[in-house]
Amino acid sequence: MQTLPELFGAGRPRDPSTAPLLVAPSGAVTTYAQMDERSASLAHVLCSVGVRPGDRVAVQIEKSALSVALYLACLRAGAVYLPMNTGYTDDEVAYLVADAEPAVLVRSPGRAPLPGTHLFTADAEGAGDLADAAARQPTAFDDVAPAPDDLAALLYTSGTTGRPKGAMLTHANLASNASALHRAWGFRPDDVLLHALPVFHAHGLFVAINCVLANGTSMIFLPKFDVDVVLEHLPGTTIFMGVPTFYTRLLGDPRFDAGTCEHMRLFVSGSAPLLASTHDEMRRRTGHAILERYGMTETTMIASNPLDGERRAGTVGFPLPDVEVRVVDPESGGELPQGEIGAVQVRGPNVFSGYWKRPELTSSEFTGDGFFRTGDLGRFDADGYLCLVGRSKDLVISGGLNVYPPEVEDVLDGLEGVLESAVIGLPDADLGEAVVAVVVPEPGAQVDVVALRAAARERLAGFKVPKVVHLVEALPRNAMGKVEKAKLREHFAVTQPQI
Ligand code: MLC
Ligand code: AMP
């Protein structure tokens, strides 16, 4: 499959006017035909304000039928879809908008416009001036036919530099990956996906939604993950996808058992490491072996445990078809023998075409022979299962959301009374890892950690704000002057927080 329209066309239900695509928790259904009409009207709106093929459309709205229609409208108009975390502050959005230069920005009502873009609003139900404008447009649209190498989406992801950069994903990247997952996970005509993930990341958007559209079936579309609501809808569904936190929260509820999972055929986990204990507890409670897979924004999905065959806890399975994965010596770059731990690199049709406006960074993240450096550390076990054992990049994954310590440190270091800071991830039963800050106050300064967190929250999305702040007199440094984060992780994992 070379483009998303080709992929979605192949799976299109025979009678789109009766086939449900989205079912809201209220029971309201959006059929494939209704989605066609809504996305057509939205594509007209985009064109009416001057969007041309290749232009970016930046979107920061709550999850609703409208967000799916807008994603499809962008594809139909040949625009590049740029979704943003709904938790981002105005400062964070302003940075992305300045970098991506979108022609259109869609935000929740009451949030700030930004120069150079046409602002539309849409609320949690999809109402707002975007929907109003769409209501005045025709319900059919002459789709722009994309080439495989045309950009379909620009997803921002931070790096070790701490400033987010846009990963350019082409139609070929997304179509090949969804097609591979669709096959690997054995999608069926009677599948119903329970969709509780956010739709501004690869997981909820490119894994979940693209697979459902490739299959021509429906999803129960929840606005967010909520244990009660998920438990209510699980019995009517067959597939569930989540980050590990979804599973630990479900397992924390005694109502979650084999009965609630009676019709389920597949539970998928990814975006962060799934503990073997969660895998085991899930098997014991529900009889299901979670299928863990591995991916990245830049590469979409890389590896997956098998649908048939052993789903091995603590591993992310085998590379997907056509995706090459190798483990190399981080120093020499030479491929390592099976069993040895090294840097994970990936090459294949799924791998993005580069970072937006960052050719130098792009070339440094690829090897001479075209493998992308993931920044993850891993090894292959004797049976060929890939095990991720850590990360060489300075990254915390909290509840499936990536937090880049340098970005948080920059903000903390700029706050009154702070001399310097180091941000680390510490094991957390709910979030997998929790963001923790170790702060050195300026000499004589009285730093109040509650006020410090509140000040950081003004600049950073809530998930990036340290859950715990430790005050110390100095940070441990090595001979090169580099902060020894491993020492901090070791020390603070066993001491009590000071707040
Ligand atoms: C929300 N908050 C978090 C958080 N999510 N804090 C730390 N870590 C998180 N993951 C903060 C909010 O900012 C808010 O703070 C407060 O917690 C309450 O918000 P909430 O929305 O009520 O939180 P909650 O419902 O508990 O959300 C947790 C969650 C959610 C785990 C359900 O984060 C989630 O859906 N995560 C999935 C992320 C995901 O899809 N990742 C895929 C990335 S793609 P305040 O200050 O505002 O009150 C990728 C590639 C791949 O990685 O391989 O898939
Ligand atoms: P992101 O930049 O948000 O796309 O996050 C990608 C990173 O998430 C990867 O580089 C991994 O570090 C991590 N990740 C994704 N899936 C898994 C998994 N199944 N196990 C461990 N880490 C994972």
Side-chain angles (χ1 to χ4, degrees):
M1 291 291 169
Q2 294 281 291
T3 66
L4 289 171
E6 208 183 311
L7 177 77
F8 301 160
R12 200 169 159 76
R14 214 166 297 147
D15 184 358
S17 63
T18 57
L21 169 57
L22 300 181
V23 183
S26 64
V29 170
T30 308
T31 63
Y32 274 78
Q34 287 167 330
M35 187 54 80
D36 288 346
E37 295 188 352
R38 292 190 77 174
S39 59
S41 305
L42 288 166
H44 279 292
V45 174
L46 297 177
C47 294
S48 74
V49 296
V51 171
R52 297 274 167 271
D55 285 349
R56 279 74 57 214
V57 172
V59 179
Q60 189 195 30
I61 56 173
E62 298 296 334
K63 187 178 168 187
S64 71
L66 180 97
S67 46
V68 179
L70 187 52
Y71 165 54
L72 296 174
C74 288
L75 299 177
R76 297 182 72 174
V80 180
Y81 186 66
L82 192 177
M84 295 184 288
N85 191 317
T86 47
Y88 285 164
T89 61
D90 286 347
D91 281 357
E92 289 167 316
V93 170
Y95 176 81
L96 302 194
V97 165
D99 192 64
E101 301 179 280
V104 166
L105 172 64
V106 187
R107 301 191 81 183
S108 306
R111 300 203 69 168
L114 286 161
T117 64
H118 188 108
L119 181 73
F120 284 110
T121 59
D123 69 13
E125 274 73 48
D129 60 18
L130 180 64
D132 295 346
R136 296 189 291 271
Q137 295 290 343
T139 52
F141 181 79
D142 200 3
D143 292 11
V144 171
D149 288 342
D150 285 347
L151 292 192
L154 186 63
L155 260 63
Y156 275 77
T157 166
S158 297
T160 41
T161 55
R163 295 272 31 190
K165 55 213 188 244
M168 299 191 286
L169 292 154
T170 65
H171 273 268
N173 295 149
L174 301 179
S176 67
N177 204 237
S179 170
L181 295 175
H182 182 253
R183 249 175 290 132
W185 296 345
F187 270 82
R188 300 177 185 172
D190 60 348
D191 271 333
V192 179
L193 177 94
L194 183 54
H195 195 303
L197 287 158
V199 289
F200 40 72
H201 284 303
H203 197 163
L205 190 58
F206 303 140
V207 182
I209 295 181
N210 284 357
C211 275
V212 167
L213 288 166
N215 199 45
T217 49
S218 67
M219 51 192 154
I220 298 184
F221 207 60
L222 306 182
K224 64 183 295 245
F225 177 81
D226 177 290
V227 171
D228 291 332
V229 184
V230 167
L231 287 175
E232 183 189 332
H233 290 283
L234 265 179
T237 58
T238 63
I239 304 183
F240 182 74
M241 295 179 184
V243 298
T245 299
F246 287 14
Y247 292 102
T248 46
R249 288 190 185 177
L250 282 169
L251 288 165
D253 193 304
R255 293 171 295 172
F256 183 56
D257 60 15
T260 28
C261 304
E262 205 185 346
H263 299 112
M264 289 298 294
R265 71 166 186 88
L266 187 60
F267 285 96
V268 177
S269 176
S271 311
L274 182 75
L275 294 178
S277 55
T278 310
H279 199 279
D280 294 345
E281 177 64 7
M282 184 75 183
R283 212 187 263 270
R284 201 184 61 75
R285 280 270 284 285
T286 68
H288 282 273
I290 299 176
L291 182 152
E292 186 173 7
R293 58 58 180 180
Y294 162 48
M296 272 187 91
T297 304
E298 289 92 332
T299 62
T300 59
M301 299 307 109
I302 299 170
S304 171
N305 268 279
L307 181 68
D308 303 312
E310 187 193 351
R311 298 178 197 164
R312 196 168 284 185
T315 82
V316 293
F318 308 109
L320 287 166
D322 299 329
V323 178
E324 293 170 83
V325 177
R326 69 183 182 192
V327 172
V328 305
D329 181 320
E331 302 300 319
S332 70
E335 195 160 351
L336 291 170
Q338 174 270 313
E340 287 192 26
I341 294 173
V344 176
Q345 299 184 341
V346 56
R347 183 168 73 176
N350 56 315
V351 178
F352 75 139
S353 63
Y355 293 112
W356 177 253
K357 293 202 264 183
R358 309 282 291 272
E360 279 153 31
L361 180 70
T362 302
S363 58
S364 69
E365 296 295 325
F366 280 88
T367 63
D369 56 353
F371 277 81
F372 176 66
R373 305 175 207 272
T374 63
D376 292 309
L377 300 173
R379 66 176 171 83
F380 281 104
D381 76 10
D383 300 315
Y385 287 78
L386 179 64
C387 314
L388 297 176
V389 299
R391 296 185 281 266
S392 60
K393 56 196 173 191
D394 190 9
L395 165 71
V396 179
I397 305 184
S398 168
L401 294 174
N402 288 8
V403 181
Y404 287 85
E407 187 184 358
V408 183
E409 288 159 5
D410 270 359
V411 168
L412 294 177
D413 293 353
L415 299 178
E416 210 182 311
V418 174
L419 181 66
E420 61 173 348
S421 63
V423 168
I424 52 175
L426 290 183
D428 182 274
D430 180 41
L431 298 168
E433 285 180 319
V435 177
V436 172
V438 184
V439 168
V440 182
E442 278 171 355
Q446 288 297 315
V447 170
D448 175 310
V449 291
V450 176
L452 193 79
R453 289 181 73 243
R457 179 68 185 88
E458 283 176 25
R459 305 265 310 274
L460 294 168
F463 69 91
K464 299 179 189 171
V465 176
K467 301 283 183 216
V468 174
V469 178
H470 296 285
L471 298 177
V472 297
E473 281 177 11
L475 297 174
R477 290 182 187 276
N478 66 14
M480 312 287 289
K482 201 167 177 273
V483 175
E484 293 178 299
K485 291 200 170 178
K487 274 197 181 157
L488 290 175
R489 278 190 287 267
E490 206 175 301
H491 181 73
F492 287 107
V494 293
T495 56
Q496 288 304 307
Q498 295 178 356
I499 58 169

